[in-house]
Amino acid sequence: MSSVIEEKKINADTSQPFSEALVVGAGFAGLYMLHRLRGLGISARVLEAGDGVGGTWYWNRYPGARCDVESMEYSYQFSEELQQEWEWTERYATQPEILRYLEHVSERFDLLRDIQFNTRVQSADFDQNESKWCVETSSGQTFSCQFLVMATGCLSSVNTPHFEGMSDFSGSCYHTGHWPHEPIDFTGRRVAIIGTGSSAIQSIPVIAEQAKMLHVFQRTPNFSIPAGNRPLEESYVQEVKSRYPEFRAEGRSQGFGIVDPFPPSAHADPERIPTRQEVEESLQERWDYGGITFLNGVPGLTTDPALNELAADFVRRKIREEVSDPEVADALSPSTMVGCKRLCVDTNYFSTYNRSNVKLVDISQSPIDKIVPEGVSVSGKVYACDDLILATGFDAMTGALSKVEIKGREGLTLADKWKEGPRTYLGLATEGFPNLFIVTGPGSPSVLSNMVQSIEQHVEWISDCMVYMKRAGLVRIEPKFDAEEEWVTHVNELADQTIFPTCNSWYLGANVPGKPRVFMPYLGFPPYVEICRDVADSEYKGFQLA
Ligand code: NAP
């Protein structure tokens, strides 16, 4: 972090414990929330557990960490000057580059003076008489505010499975989601990594180049598409910048909020079922292009299991072509539908298994027995390692919210209210918790969209709502029970028409033992935006205002 940022952090003014809005988290969401509220004349401050801005991009510093949404899209669009002036260097930005971008944003918009770092929010109580939130941090500091905005991120609370003997391990242990700040050199070391989700799929090829031996412990294989990462061509950057608003609008018009590089021709008949040959050609074109829009390769891929199988089979064939040992290729080939777990995007992932220093340990049938001082034990066999990496993911979407003891009306805690699964209205607010807003909460497109775009849409909706209330002299807003009930049903009905709930994904909370199995994201960015707009235009229907 630059010394200018260090200096400004030290100068942050924390002498006024009341602000109209208190924002928890200084990632993409918290930073824009602060900037927007300030611009609208609403006093705000941000509390952040980390020692710097960045949120998920502050914590996830593992080797190979980069975004799987292209950098020209994975960036703010609220400031035309910012999007024109900032220079991304690669098609997919690395974690250090995204962090530099967010540090630049916080300096450029002078945000640091209202952010208090190293401050973990422990509890928040709603005072019914005053219609205010009283917030306490883990160091006992207290704050009060009219509006509490949880900008705590969807993938910020790490999932650390319990393995017997973990504390006896004699080597070093790391979690990809909470990586040390100093670089770790694995040269000449024996490394074990547990998990084969996006984080592992990005880090395995990089670690394999250093380590003497790398054992990968895989419980479930994942589909992954080559990223096709490369330095950004100046001509492409200039082309996008010459029509940035239009480019952003193209993204907003797509189901996942991401620009489709191969949009269907305006003359194409959407009802016509493509031939097998056409499907194959389309998938090949997208495979060669690289990236997450592979899922758009077959219209209906996320709703029709038969069409999905064509794409799944396509990827399995690619894995067999890339991995020289057929048994390893089989073990790396998922049997699930493609896309039902978050699709991974990689650089040289499958071919890394052709290296003599990389071994896949299939634990699908016999799980890890325990961790012993020397390494990882599976079916009585010990895989010795000096370093153990947990790439075991997150308590997604609800984890960071449930960690804070949030008490709403009548002393009800959020954790209690959500014990059968999260319930929200629009993913923005939850009944029983007045004046509490969630940025990209469960029930909003969030993780099934370009996160930055979804964050901006939420921040704008929430801050506009605060302005509306202020102008109308209103002090309290809360979803109505029926509106929330209908929304939860709607989110689930949409998901049930797709392949998304068909496997054990973190979208369903299935990765965390004991977590209720509820599909959390809302499917469809454009209709969601329309619904939010309609709610605001009709004076916040579905909400109770006082
Ligand atoms: P993840 O997708 O949840 O993967 C966790 C891995 O750990 C899975 O392979 C899981 O196996 C395994 N695992 C968990 N508990 C285990 C246990 N007790 N024993 C053995 N294996 C266990 O987590 P992630 O890789 O950190 O990615 C999470 C999400 O973060 C991604 O889906 C993506 O949305 C986001 N992300 C994005 C990027 C990017 O932008 N490029 C990079 C990294 C992450 P099972 O599948 O069997 O549960």
Side-chain angles (χ1 to χ4, degrees):
M1 184 170 291
S2 76
S3 56
V4 181
I5 291 193
E6 281 302 330
E7 204 176 297
K8 288 191 181 165
K9 274 167 57 184
I10 292 162
N11 291 338
D13 175 14
T14 58
S15 60
Q16 296 164 23
F18 176 81
S19 50
E20 285 167 280
L22 192 68
V23 182
V24 187
F28 268 99
L31 294 180
Y32 183 37
M33 194 81 225
L34 175 59
H35 174 66
R36 186 119 206 287
L37 289 174
R38 263 197 206 157
L40 293 168
I42 294 176
S43 64
R45 78 168 63 227
V46 176
L47 303 181
E48 163 59 52
D51 187 30
V53 298
T56 197
W57 298 105
Y58 172 89
W59 299 106
N60 284 266
R61 296 167 185 248
Y62 58 84
R66 65 171 75 235
C67 189
D68 57 9
V69 174
E70 298 194 23
S71 34
M72 296 303 288
E73 290 185 73
Y74 194 82
S75 47
Y76 290 120
Q77 52 190 288
F78 69 81
S79 161
E80 181 60 15
E81 293 77 24
L82 172 66
Q83 66 179 3
Q84 287 297 335
E85 286 169 27
W86 182 261
E87 308 273 356
W88 294 107
T89 61
E90 292 179 75
R91 179 175 172 191
Y92 301 93
T94 59
Q95 174 272 334
E97 192 168 24
I98 300 174
L99 198 56
R100 276 200 299 282
Y101 171 75
L102 289 172
E103 287 172 1
H104 167 79
V105 167
S106 50
E107 282 192 72
R108 183 181 185 117
F109 298 104
D110 190 21
L111 301 177
L112 294 167
R113 64 185 155 90
D114 285 320
I115 306 175
Q116 185 174 318
F117 294 98
N118 300 307
T119 305
R120 184 168 287 282
V121 170
Q122 188 163 282
S123 65
D125 277 69
F126 186 69
D127 178 335
Q128 284 178 241
N129 298 326
E130 299 286 324
S131 286
K132 282 190 183 117
W133 282 96
C134 305
V135 171
E136 190 167 347
T137 71
S138 53
S139 64
Q141 220 183 340
T142 54
F143 296 88
S144 72
C145 58
Q146 185 184 359
F147 298 107
L148 180 61
V149 182
M150 299 302 286
T152 41
C154 295
L155 296 162
S156 43
S157 175
V158 295
N159 171 39
T160 307
H162 171 74
F163 294 114
E164 190 193 324
M166 195 73 193
S167 57
D168 301 335
F169 181 59
S170 60
S172 307
C173 186
Y174 308 99
H175 194 296
T176 47
H178 205 147
W179 199 262
H181 284 212
E182 64 282 0
I184 310 291
D185 184 3
F186 293 107
T187 305
R189 297 183 66 87
R190 298 164 307 165
V191 182
I193 183 163
I194 301 174
T196 48
S198 294
S199 304
I201 282 178
Q202 287 188 330
S203 54
I204 285 166
V206 181
I207 296 170
E209 284 185 5
Q210 294 182 346
K212 181 160 88 182
M213 187 67 215
L214 174 62
H215 280 108
V216 179
F217 294 82
Q218 174 188 269
R219 189 165 68 179
T220 317
N222 257 308
F223 287 102
S224 187
I225 309 298
N229 187 41
R230 55 174 185 269
L232 276 174
E233 300 93 14
E234 186 53 27
S235 55
Y236 171 71
V237 172
Q238 287 317 322
E239 192 272 320
V240 170
K241 287 189 173 177
S242 70
R243 55 176 193 98
Y244 231 143
E246 197 187 315
F247 178 78
R248 299 291 196 177
E250 272 174 39
R252 286 197 299 273
S253 71
Q254 297 294 318
F256 296 121
I258 296 173
V259 172
D260 187 351
F262 304 102
S265 135
H267 309 294
D269 172 4
E271 301 298 315
R272 191 177 78 81
I273 297 169
T275 64
R276 233 188 145 91
Q277 172 78 11
E278 285 167 337
V279 168
E280 190 73 13
E281 283 168 9
S282 166
L283 292 172
Q284 183 65 49
E285 186 175 39
R286 286 173 187 268
W287 181 270
D288 295 339
Y289 181 79
I292 211 156
T293 57
F294 179 82
L295 286 181
N296 298 355
V298 189
L301 181 148
T302 56
T303 49
D304 182 333
L307 286 172
N308 188 288
E309 179 52 27
L310 294 178
D313 179 57
F314 178 93
V315 183
R316 289 185 205 117
R317 274 184 278 134
K318 292 290 181 193
I319 297 172
R320 284 199 293 275
E321 280 168 26
E322 278 198 40
V323 179
S324 41
D325 181 332
E327 271 185 39
V328 177
D330 268 1
L332 287 168
S333 298
S335 55
T336 55
M337 292 196 223
V338 59
C340 69
K341 277 192 178 207
R342 165 77 178 206
L343 190 62
C344 302
V345 169
D346 70 279
T347 301
N348 305 329
Y349 174 63
F350 292 114
S351 61
T352 293
Y353 290 93
N354 297 334
R355 297 175 67 111
S356 58
N357 68 331
V358 177
K359 292 276 173 281
L360 182 71
V361 184
D362 183 348
I363 53 166
S364 57
Q365 304 306 317
S366 37
I368 291 167
D369 316 319
K370 57 183 169 183
I371 306 295
V372 293
E374 309 77 44
V376 181
S377 168
V378 178
S379 302
K381 177 174 175 184
V382 173
Y383 296 84
C385 61
D386 307 306
D387 301 299
L388 175 60
I389 300 174
L390 302 176
T392 46
F394 301 89
D395 181 356
M397 304 198 74
T398 55
L401 294 164
S402 320
K403 268 188 182 165
V404 180
E405 197 189 356
I406 303 179
K407 266 194 205 149
R409 275 193 292 107
E410 330 298 343
L412 176 70
T413 66
L414 190 66
D416 262 345
K417 174 170 174 182
W418 286 7
K419 64 175 184 288
E420 305 296 330
R423 303 177 62 76
T424 67
Y425 180 41
L426 306 171
L428 280 160
T430 184
E431 187 250 351
F433 297 80
N435 295 0
L436 174 76
F437 290 111
I438 307 163
V439 183
T440 61
S444 76
S446 58
V447 292
L448 278 173
S449 67
N450 172 358
M451 279 301 287
V452 183
Q453 191 156 273
S454 277
I455 283 169
E456 288 187 290
Q457 184 258 342
H458 263 196
V459 164
E460 287 162 18
W461 193 97
I462 292 168
S463 47
D464 288 348
C465 174
M466 290 182 196
V467 170
Y468 170 85
M469 289 178 66
K470 206 170 167 177
R471 285 197 187 135
L474 298 162
V475 294
R476 204 156 146 164
I477 181 165
E478 179 187 344
K480 291 180 184 162
F481 177 83
D482 290 350
E484 181 168 295
E485 189 77 3
E486 268 175 44
W487 186 253
V488 172
T489 308
H490 175 55
V491 173
N492 282 292
E493 278 171 359
L494 286 180
D496 289 344
Q497 292 162 23
T498 71
I499 54 98
F500 284 101
T502 62
C503 62
N504 291 327
S505 70
W506 56 257
Y507 296 141
L508 280 163
N511 62 326
V512 176
K515 190 166 172 172
R517 201 182 165 98
V518 174
F519 192 79
M520 294 181 278
Y522 182 90
L523 276 159
F525 182 74
Y528 175 81
V529 173
E530 274 312 304
I531 294 168
C532 289
R533 191 173 294 141
D534 178 50
V535 167
D537 288 349
S538 54
E539 305 199 326
Y540 298 93
K541 70 178 170 197
F543 285 95
Q544 184 113 38
L545 289 130

